[in-house]
Amino acid sequence: MGEHVAAERGIALEAVKEESPPEGLYGDIVGLRVTFASGASHRVLGTRYADRVPRIVRIDGFSMDIVAESGSDFVVIENRDKPGNIGFVGQVFGELGINIADMSIGTGHDGKALMVTRVEGPVTSAVKTQLKTRDDILFVRMVKMPTYTVD
């Protein structure tokens, strides 16, 4: 089914079987690499544990463990790996009335960190505007997880 949806949207799918999971990961891992016309690309790895809930375990080399809950809103933030950034993000969300349901932070990638927050409630452009006021915040992306059912 996924192949048909991808084809309708002009997306090429390619299955690549790796003999072993990427370093530091165990079990069945599903990966997705998206390459844009500009040449930029992103790789996301995921798995399901015994609870059968999908989880994101790596993004672009940053290790993490965050529930990829159906229909959830996420804010993905790349920042310089310095003290105070997590508190700043929490403060901004609090001031805007956004509750953080889950957060995972991957560090150690060229002095940078990747923070993925699953939030409750809609995320407006005000979040991005407020977060970008701090020099250590390098980029902010809002992501909406598609709706799915767990079998």
Side-chain angles (χ1 to χ4, degrees):
M1 177 172 150
E3 297 88 3
H4 301 295
V5 173
E8 289 173 2
R9 296 181 181 180
I11 300 170
L13 293 180
E14 179 182 352
V16 177
K17 177 141 176 80
E18 295 183 15
E19 294 303 315
S20 60
E23 184 178 333
L25 298 177
Y26 301 95
D28 294 329
I29 305 293
V30 174
L32 170 71
R33 179 179 302 279
V34 179
T35 303
F36 299 94
S38 67
S41 72
H42 296 283
R43 185 176 186 200
V44 178
L45 302 179
T47 192
R48 291 195 312 183
Y49 297 138
D51 62 6
R52 302 179 61 78
V53 176
R55 297 174 192 275
I56 298 168
V57 295
R58 189 167 291 168
I59 299 176
D60 289 342
F62 292 99
S63 294
M64 59 190 49
D65 186 356
I66 192 160
V67 174
E69 189 171 292
S70 176
S72 290
D73 291 299
F74 290 85
V75 180
V76 180
I77 303 162
E78 185 174 359
N79 57 276
R80 290 185 184 87
D81 191 9
K82 293 183 178 178
N85 288 325
I86 295 170
F88 173 74
V89 169
Q91 181 178 355
V92 168
F93 284 6
E95 289 172 356
L96 294 173
I98 298 169
N99 188 50
I100 297 172
D102 195 3
M103 177 186 281
S104 187
I105 301 161
T107 62
H109 200 70
D110 296 331
K112 297 176 184 173
L114 189 70
M115 185 182 322
V116 179
T117 56
R118 183 168 51 91
V119 298
E120 295 174 342
V123 180
T124 66
S125 61
V127 172
K128 187 173 187 176
T129 301
Q130 286 285 96
L131 291 173
K132 292 292 289 177
T133 63
R134 187 174 180 99
D135 289 339
D136 286 336
I137 304 295
L138 303 174
F139 78 74
V140 178
R141 299 286 188 274
M142 276 94 66
V143 178
K144 176 77 171 180
M145 182 65 62
T147 303
Y148 63 83
T149 57
V150 177
D151 55 347

